[in-house]
Amino acid sequence: MDFTVFAQQIANGLVNGMAYVLIATGLTLVFGVLRIVNFAHGEFYMLGAYITYFVGTLLGLDYIAAAAISAVVVAGLGIAANRLIFWPLRRDHEFTILLSSLGLALLIANGGELLFGADPKYVESPFADEVLDIGTVTLTQQRVLVFAAAVVALIAVYLFIRYSRFGKMMRATAQNPNGAALTGINIKLVHAYTFALACGLAALSGALVGPTVMIFPTIGNWAVLKGFIVVIMGGLGSVTGALFAGLLLGVIESLGGGYISLGFMEAIGYAMIIAVLLWRPHGLFSTARGLR
Amino acid sequence: MFGRRTLLAAAAALALTIPLAGTGAHAQQPPVRIALIGPMSGTGAFEGQLGLEGAQAMVAVINAKGGVAGGRKIELLTYDDKGSPEDGVSAAKRAMEQDNVDMIVGGWFSAVALSMKEVTRDKIITVMTSSQHPKVTEEGHKYLFRLNATSAMMSEFYSKAICERIKPKSIAFMNVNDDWGRLELDNYTKLLTGCGIEVKGHEFYNRTDTDFTTALTKLKSLNADAIYVAAINTSQGATIYRQIKQTGYRGKVIASAGNMNPKLVELSGNALEQVYSASPFTEDGSAPSLKPWLEQYRKSYKNEPSFIAALGAQAVQTLAFGVEAAGGDPRAYDKIAAALKSQEVPTVMGTLRFSDKGQANQAIHLVQIQKKQIVSVRD
């Protein structure tokens, strides 16, 4: 076996996997804290990429600033979506919420097609075509950035949930919403910033992955699919689970595609879900209800 | 529904009741109604939009000159096939049965063309556009015409250019995993091996893939002199060309025939510089109708004129020519079909000749990307 190719495939897999982790973290937060399965999560990823594109081309800002603005704007849109759809429905049946999120996904995706046009676009980044040689492995600066920025964002999210006052309120809400409300925690506020955090992360991943591929209004489908595979594998509501499952999925896809067949790459994710659900029905890292 | 006779009677009655209407004395003739069925939504939406724009620009050019056959305007009705055979079939049925159109333009994707042609078979003049699958015209329906060259015609021309002009010592293929991508691999493996080019290997990617680094890492490790990319979808194509450079591959890149367009060049950045392709459409062509169409297109749309748009224009021209030749009756299908099969049809991409099975002999040119422009390579 050619070691150079092997190392390259592992590196490809880790970068792709880290992007999955970033998408899945928001998805798992919303589920873990609010018990909401948000099918529209991928659309916030799409919006993140598009807003980065438009801020870059229309306002002429540089890529990093555009990505940051996009994350903030989409976090705001997340709050709006929560206020208009998920908060009013919080006492309804889970299926009602799930179907509403599906409706929201279709609305945003088709609205995007009308607003942004059907033609594919490319998010310009100064790092996209600059190649870095790390030993025998070749990566573009952008792909290194995807990995590094995701690591920073995940550490920040972890510290936030673990140590900040808001994070503690989130964990309390995850464990028992009624109990949390009784102790004086503002559940409405927890809803709002959980959505802001989740959608901001989705947008950040869209902004980071954008320059490595082309963007078009239906890329959200891809994002939410990968996100769900990772979340189910890692355990619904588990942030550490999402981290390991995402990286694992990325590497296994890349090795499977590289050494078995590319045709199987898509199937690998689904096969892994089945295997995990048979072996550990609550996901790899799931123990009990709550946010971990 | 009202027949044309009732409509004419109604129009005549209307003309009588308004004696002062118009100074031209004769009543306005009914328009020739053409259904344009294409992917207006879904992953092929951009290609559908280009085709529609091209057709609309040509309709505008023809109508501005007074229409066809002494004053009949062309009216274009749009239908969405979503790039799927089922939706293509139902759109064709709707166009024929509900909207009672005179003629149909469709078949941007082979899969849609193959199932749609069974609905329109021997019932209505149908022009298939960009589909390349040989079977679209192979079975020889009476009223069916296809504009694009088949993949066999394309590969025969392009393989010669690859062997004689691009001259790689070895080649590897990066093809989309569908009927067309597999056909391409078979064709070119045979043709290129024939002129002494070593085929080092191939990868098939999926139509839903967004990242190609895994496949390209494998292809790069084969150390082939050139990588041939068979991609129809513009967004996938652009990602592949960029990622080929990003993996550090420094060999030649060859783009599949018939899939080069200005949007792809724009999206691919510098990754397509010096890359060859083959295309029936070049902006510097010499057809007389090319210039007015290009002007109209640029005036109306912000996209750059492309092969797909030119096919839309060509479809409208073909139908207009047929109606003209049949003396202005868009329902004289036998006459129109006979005229199209026996006469040369002048279009934006040069003169077309249709075979007895309705296949056009589209002229193909070798093109190269130079300074982000698609230019034709002439000897």
Side-chain angles (χ1 to χ4, degrees):
Chain A
M1 190 163 59
D2 186 347
F3 177 74
T4 315
V5 177
F6 181 74
Q8 182 69 48
Q9 296 291 27
I10 295 269
N12 293 344
L14 284 175
V15 172
N16 288 348
M18 210 42 148
Y20 300 162
V21 174
L22 216 46
I23 297 165
T25 302
L27 205 55
T28 211
L29 272 179
V30 168
F31 181 82
V33 179
L34 310 174
R35 302 275 119 183
I36 290 171
V37 177
N38 183 14
F39 274 113
H41 194 71
E43 270 55 47
F44 291 101
Y45 168 91
M46 180 272 282
L47 287 174
Y50 267 95
I51 293 175
T52 309
Y53 170 82
F54 281 114
V55 171
T57 50
L58 297 182
L59 303 182
L61 292 182
D62 66 90
Y63 169 68
I64 301 275
I69 290 175
S70 146
V72 173
V73 171
V74 176
L77 291 175
I79 294 177
N82 169 58
R83 193 71 195 80
L84 291 172
I85 295 168
F86 297 108
W87 176 254
L89 288 175
R90 68 191 179 284
R91 301 216 184 281
D92 283 35
H93 194 273
E94 281 177 0
F95 281 151
T96 313
I97 300 176
L98 190 142
L99 288 176
S100 309
S101 78
L102 201 59
L104 179 67
L106 292 172
L107 188 75
I108 300 178
N110 289 309
E113 208 155 85
L114 276 179
L115 208 63
F116 309 142
D119 55 320
K121 294 190 166 48
Y122 176 69
V123 182
E124 290 284 346
S125 155
F127 313 111
D129 290 325
E130 299 300 320
V131 174
L132 274 183
D133 289 313
I134 309 161
T136 57
V137 174
T138 306
L139 286 175
T140 58
Q141 289 180 359
Q142 183 67 32
R143 294 177 76 82
V144 175
L145 181 70
V146 170
F147 195 86
V151 169
V152 172
L154 288 170
I155 291 175
V157 169
Y158 178 79
L159 293 177
F160 176 77
I161 295 173
R162 193 98 186 85
Y163 297 108
S164 79
R165 215 177 126 76
F166 277 130
K168 285 177 185 161
M169 281 157 65
M170 275 168 80
R171 281 187 290 146
T173 310
Q175 281 166 13
N176 187 336
N178 291 331
L182 279 175
T183 59
I185 289 174
N186 184 345
I187 301 288
K188 201 172 174 178
L189 193 65
V190 172
H191 259 261
Y193 66 73
T194 305
F195 260 97
L197 192 60
C199 294
L201 283 172
L204 182 66
S205 52
L208 287 169
V209 175
T212 69
V213 292
M214 298 298 138
I215 60 170
F216 42 94
T218 47
I219 44 170
N221 296 345
W222 168 86
V224 81
L225 202 67
K226 293 293 180 194
F228 270 114
I229 293 175
V230 170
V231 167
I232 293 170
M233 271 190 350
L236 280 160
S238 167
V239 175
T240 24
L243 175 64
F244 284 99
L247 291 177
L248 192 67
L249 178 67
V251 171
I252 290 184
E253 271 187 354
S254 158
L255 291 181
Y259 291 99
I260 304 170
S261 160
L262 280 176
F264 284 117
M265 241 169 94
E266 289 274 295
I268 287 169
Y270 302 113
M272 278 171 76
I273 286 194
I274 295 173
V276 167
L277 288 181
L278 282 174
W279 172 49
R280 284 185 70 101
H282 297 288
L284 291 174
F285 287 80
S286 181
T287 46
R289 191 197 148 104
L291 193 63
R292 292 166 300 276
Chain B
M1 289 302 289
F2 301 110
R4 214 173 35 255
R5 200 166 289 193
T6 342
L7 276 176
L8 272 174
L14 205 70
L16 282 176
T17 53
I18 315 168
L20 289 177
T23 49
H26 53 256
Q28 176 91 37
Q29 296 189 58
V32 175
R33 301 170 83 230
I34 299 176
L36 188 134
I37 304 173
M40 303 301 158
S41 64
T43 45
F46 181 57
E47 281 74 15
Q49 185 193 343
L50 292 179
L52 176 63
E53 288 177 356
Q56 279 171 335
M58 183 48 78
V59 168
V61 170
I62 293 177
N63 284 349
K65 279 196 209 147
V68 283
R72 294 193 69 167
K73 295 275 161 74
I74 298 178
E75 186 191 342
L76 209 58
L77 289 84
T78 317
Y79 301 82
D80 187 4
D81 68 22
K82 297 176 189 156
S84 98
E86 299 82 15
D87 288 289
V89 165
S90 72
K93 281 186 179 156
R94 216 164 54 242
M96 290 157 64
E97 288 159 17
Q98 285 178 20
D99 299 338
N100 199 22
V101 300
D102 295 320
M103 305 162 131
I104 290 181
V105 173
W108 303 88
F109 293 130
S110 292
V112 181
L114 287 172
S115 46
M116 209 175 81
K117 77 182 171 69
E118 295 308 322
V119 185
T120 59
R121 176 178 218 149
D122 300 348
K123 282 188 195 140
I124 183 167
I125 293 275
T126 308
V127 173
M128 299 296 185
T129 47
S130 57
S131 50
Q132 289 191 16
H133 202 287
K135 281 219 171 104
V136 173
T137 41
E138 220 165 54
E139 289 159 29
H141 300 184
K142 269 200 304 192
Y143 302 144
L144 183 85
F145 297 87
R146 186 242 305 264
L147 301 175
N148 204 0
T150 63
S151 42
M153 293 158 70
M154 290 265 198
S155 55
E156 198 185 321
F157 168 84
Y158 198 24
S159 64
K160 243 182 231 150
I162 295 173
C163 292
E164 287 162 16
R165 185 178 272 274
I166 309 173
K167 293 183 198 157
K169 288 189 189 66
S170 57
I171 197 164
F173 291 91
M174 174 76 177
N175 288 22
V176 60
N177 191 3
D178 65 8
D179 291 349
W180 174 74
R182 290 179 176 273
L183 196 63
E184 282 272 289
L185 180 66
D186 291 346
N187 282 344
Y188 283 97
T189 303
K190 218 180 305 155
L191 292 165
L192 297 185
T193 318
C195 71
I197 298 172
E198 182 194 356
V199 175
K200 288 223 174 177
H202 67 266
E203 288 297 328
F204 284 121
Y205 65 88
N206 303 308
R207 276 205 288 196
T208 49
D209 287 351
T210 51
D211 182 81
F212 306 91
T213 43
T214 303
L216 294 173
T217 300
K218 280 168 85 176
L219 285 182
K220 186 193 168 198
S221 71
L222 296 174
N223 279 322
D225 213 13
I227 292 180
Y228 179 97
V229 179
I232 304 180
N233 181 308
T234 301
S235 69
Q236 282 193 323
T239 311
I240 292 172
Y241 294 118
R242 275 185 179 268
Q243 291 192 342
I244 285 178
K245 294 286 172 226
Q246 292 169 359
T247 55
Y249 179 75
R250 295 285 170 264
K252 295 183 178 118
V253 177
I254 299 171
S256 57
N259 299 304
M260 189 50 69
N261 65 64
K263 188 79 191 177
L264 183 65
V265 178
E266 177 201 323
L267 289 172
S268 304
N270 288 323
L272 273 178
E273 247 350 89
Q274 303 299 318
V275 167
Y276 284 99
S277 182
S279 175
F281 174 72
T282 56
E283 268 192 58
D284 49 6
S286 59
S289 59
L290 178 61
K291 228 179 130 209
W293 176 74
L294 284 175
E295 276 167 13
Q296 177 67 36
Y297 190 94
R298 285 226 162 81
K299 205 168 71 189
S300 311
Y301 309 107
K302 66 178 185 356
N303 288 311
E304 282 291 304
S306 56
F307 172 48
I308 297 288
L311 278 175
Q314 205 175 37
V316 171
Q317 283 182 305
T318 304
L319 292 177
F321 181 88
V323 174
E324 194 88 51
D329 182 3
R331 297 291 175 120
Y333 292 151
D334 287 316
K335 265 194 201 167
I336 294 173
L340 288 177
K341 283 174 188 174
S342 61
Q343 299 178 33
E344 289 195 331
V345 184
T347 73
V348 287
M349 289 187 272
T351 323
L352 283 188
R353 242 184 187 297
F354 286 98
S355 74
D356 284 344
K357 288 180 171 176
Q359 172 62 49
N361 70 330
Q362 197 83 255
I364 307 164
H365 314 280
L366 184 66
V367 296
Q368 189 181 30
I369 315 307
Q370 292 170 6
K371 300 195 180 95
K372 301 198 178 177
Q373 295 293 321
I374 306 172
V375 295
S376 50
V377 181
R378 296 183 202 280
D379 292 309

